[in-house]
Amino acid sequence: MHAKQLLIKSILTPLISALLVIFAAVALLLPSGRPREDEAALATGKTYMKALEGRDASAVDRDIRMRVSMEALEGMDLWEKLNYFDTYIMGDSRTGLFIWSGITPEHVWAETSTTIKFIEENIDLIRESRPGNLVLSFGMNDLGMYEFDPDNYWETAQDYVEAYRYYIDMIREASPETNIYINCIIPALDAGIERQPRWALVPEWNEALRQFCESYDVGYIDVAFIADEYGDYFEDDGVHFYLQAALDDWAQAILDAIEEKEFG
């Protein structure tokens, strides 16, 4: 359990019992002439606390954490929220854009020309850091490397999914409480596909990843729209982009996925 969760639990679990005692004491001391709205508020509070008494402890803990988180998030900007949720991002050179965002720089693990093998190479870092939420963003190099080294990379989408399963299991063993998300492969433009024809397979591979995530309790973050909406701002290679608006939209999609997981 992360330090923030432990702190919330250690403070708020005994607080439930304490509040019940307080409500009972206030009920005894409340003058008979007190306004009815005060009595109604007290009755509402007592009803809520009584309801908590009868619930499963884990459900109560989740409810309290959710309420605390929602209150804490008020007034935060996009990047502060991602940091609040202890968000880490691991991936290739496009992921490296987040180093210049509002996310804690040490929470961005990126390397040029890397593939999902980067996960295993840095599994000790994951084990030591134990991220609250870890977003994995690979794909372009994974598709392209097969042409140069077919014995060590993945020909088909199914081959790739099975490799991802292996690495997801590795992360779960190293950091069991980390919520894992797979970012879709942001498509290349025509200029990129001309350089590497296998990049035309991105939609097929994304669909395989989406189905895998649904079946394996992994979050799926779909930001394929970036290529459509911001294609005019891509580099001449048809792959890379350095536009703040695109990065903001990407980050918002990540936050949406995390909040869906946290709050349902």
Side-chain angles (χ1 to χ4, degrees):
M1 183 174 291
H2 297 287
K4 178 164 59 184
Q5 296 173 332
L6 286 171
L7 177 61
I8 291 171
K9 188 170 184 179
S10 64
I11 294 173
L12 294 179
T13 298
L15 183 60
I16 294 174
S17 299
L19 285 174
L20 285 172
V21 173
I22 293 170
F23 277 128
V26 171
L28 291 173
L29 296 173
L30 187 67
S32 58
R34 192 83 174 197
R36 289 184 178 274
E37 54 267 27
D38 285 355
E39 296 179 4
L42 177 60
T44 299
K46 290 172 68 177
T47 299
Y48 175 69
M49 297 307 296
K50 195 67 177 177
L52 289 182
E53 268 193 308
R55 293 176 58 191
D56 177 75
S58 61
V60 172
D61 180 64
R62 174 177 171 78
D63 184 70
I64 293 173
R65 286 191 293 108
M66 182 176 71
R67 288 170 179 268
V68 170
S69 293
M70 293 180 72
E71 290 181 5
L73 291 170
E74 291 183 6
M76 289 186 183
D77 65 22
L78 169 63
W79 306 105
E80 289 170 335
K81 290 178 180 179
L82 287 170
N83 287 326
Y84 174 83
F85 286 119
D86 195 32
T87 306
Y88 286 66
I89 301 176
M90 172 179 279
D92 53 27
S93 57
R94 295 195 291 192
T95 309
L97 289 172
F98 283 99
I99 293 175
W100 293 279
S101 71
I103 289 181
T104 304
E106 291 78 16
H107 289 191
V108 181
W109 301 328
E111 186 171 294
T112 302
S113 302
T114 196
T115 71
I116 54 173
K117 294 184 177 185
F118 188 67
I119 298 171
E120 185 169 18
E121 294 167 3
N122 291 276
I123 197 62
D124 288 340
L125 188 58
I126 295 173
R127 182 178 291 106
E128 293 166 4
S129 302
R130 294 187 176 275
N133 295 280
L134 176 61
V135 179
L136 306 172
S137 184
F138 300 92
M140 300 304 281
N141 302 305
D142 309 64
L143 273 158
M145 286 302 297
Y146 177 77
E147 179 180 337
F148 304 100
D149 191 359
D151 292 334
N152 291 300
Y153 291 91
W154 311 280
E155 179 179 11
T156 69
Q158 191 56 42
D159 293 338
Y160 190 53
V161 163
E162 289 307 311
Y164 237 131
R165 187 190 309 275
Y166 168 76
Y167 293 120
I168 294 295
D169 288 344
M170 184 178 294
I171 294 171
R172 285 175 169 165
E173 182 178 353
S175 185
E177 295 182 9
T178 295
N179 296 318
I180 305 170
Y181 304 82
I182 292 178
N183 200 88
C184 82
I185 306 170
I186 300 174
L189 304 184
D190 289 343
I193 295 173
E194 288 177 8
R195 291 195 304 116
Q196 174 50 266
R198 277 178 58 82
W199 287 341
L201 298 174
V202 165
E204 176 188 338
W205 281 41
N206 276 339
E207 178 58 21
L209 286 173
R210 184 189 65 78
Q211 292 182 17
F212 165 69
C213 288
E214 287 183 358
S215 66
Y216 215 53
D217 193 26
V218 174
Y220 181 71
I221 301 171
D222 187 354
V223 290
F225 65 86
I226 286 178
D228 294 326
E229 294 190 16
Y230 299 107
D232 291 344
Y233 300 94
F234 274 45
E235 297 292 296
D236 291 340
D237 63 7
V239 174
H240 296 93
F241 55 90
Y242 303 95
L243 184 69
Q244 186 63 46
L247 188 62
D248 289 346
D249 283 354
W250 187 354
Q252 185 62 57
I254 292 173
L255 179 61
D256 290 345
I258 292 174
E259 290 189 329
E260 176 65 24
K261 178 76 172 179
E262 288 286 328
F263 305 138

